């Protein structure tokens, strides 16, 4: 199975997913602003918590630069709400239990974990521009230090 990967210049695949409160959030809601869409394997796990808290801690600077943040995982909204509340997360966490959006963005498929090939969520981050095009596509990102690197790359 090959993963269809997105590249800069591609149109970002449209989506509408429920957030932690079950409210529908669409990528189209962010048209006219830049938005970071990041995909992570599971709420409340150590790496995903670190990454989410890094986005939380850098959100003001990203927002000041005109960049919003959306996190997407296969978790159900109730689990996302617990994660959000436990960590004080202030950006939307979206639920994709069917993994349709993860798959469309190339963020679900075969990956290597501890030397074994497994199928799962590929930790990935994208920057979508004001017109809905992919500006940055990063796959297999590290949970730790990723947001700092992203800010350096984006000069934010």
């Amino acid at each position: 199975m090959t993963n269809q990967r997105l590249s800069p210049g591609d149109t970002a695949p449209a989506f509408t997913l429920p957030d932690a409160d079950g409210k529908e959030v669409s990528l189209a809601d962010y048209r006219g602003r830049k938005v970071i869409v990041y995909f992570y394997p599971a709420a409340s796990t150590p790496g995903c918590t670190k990454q989410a808290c890094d986005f939380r801690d850098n959100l003001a600077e990203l927002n000041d630069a005109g960049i919003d943040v959306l996190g997407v995982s296969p978790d159900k909204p109730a689990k996302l709400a617990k994660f959000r509340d436990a960590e004080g997360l202030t950006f939307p966490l979206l639920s994709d239990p069917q993994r349709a959006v993860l798959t469309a963005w190339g963020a679900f498929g075969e990956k290597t974990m501890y030397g074994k090939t497994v199928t799962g969520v590929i930790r990935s981050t994208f920057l979508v521009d004001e017109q809905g095009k992919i500006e940055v596509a990063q796959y297999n990102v590290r949970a730790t230090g990723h947001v700092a690197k992203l800010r350096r790359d984006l000069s934010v």
Side-chain angles (χ1 to χ4, degrees), residues 5 18-19 44 49 51 69-70 75 77 84 87 95 97 100 107 131-132 145:
R5 296 228 159 160
D19 69 6
S44 306
T49 298
Q51 187 180 19
V69 175
L70 297 173
D75 298 306
R84 176 196 62 202
E87 304 302 335
S95 170
Q131 285 75 49

Side-chain angles (χ1 to χ4, degrees), residues 76-149:
K76 297 266 192 293
K79 186 174 179 196
L80 295 177
K82 259 171 79 171
F83 182 41
R84 176 196 62 202
D85 296 346
E87 304 302 335
L89 302 177
T90 50
F91 54 88
L93 298 174
L94 307 182
S95 170
D96 183 23
Q98 279 76 44
R99 300 175 175 79
V101 175
L102 284 149
T103 302
W105 286 64
F108 185 80
E110 284 190 357
K111 62 180 183 174
T112 305
M113 220 167 132
Y114 308 114
K116 286 197 206 54
T117 299
V118 297
T119 299
V121 176
I122 299 160
R123 191 183 301 277
S124 310
T125 300
F126 303 89
L127 178 65
V128 180
D129 73 12
E130 297 86 347
Q131 285 75 49
K133 296 260 190 243
I134 302 287
E135 197 169 301
V136 175
Q138 298 176 335
Y139 290 94
N140 298 307
V141 300
R142 297 172 56 94
T144 306
H146 172 60
V147 177
K149 182 184 178 320

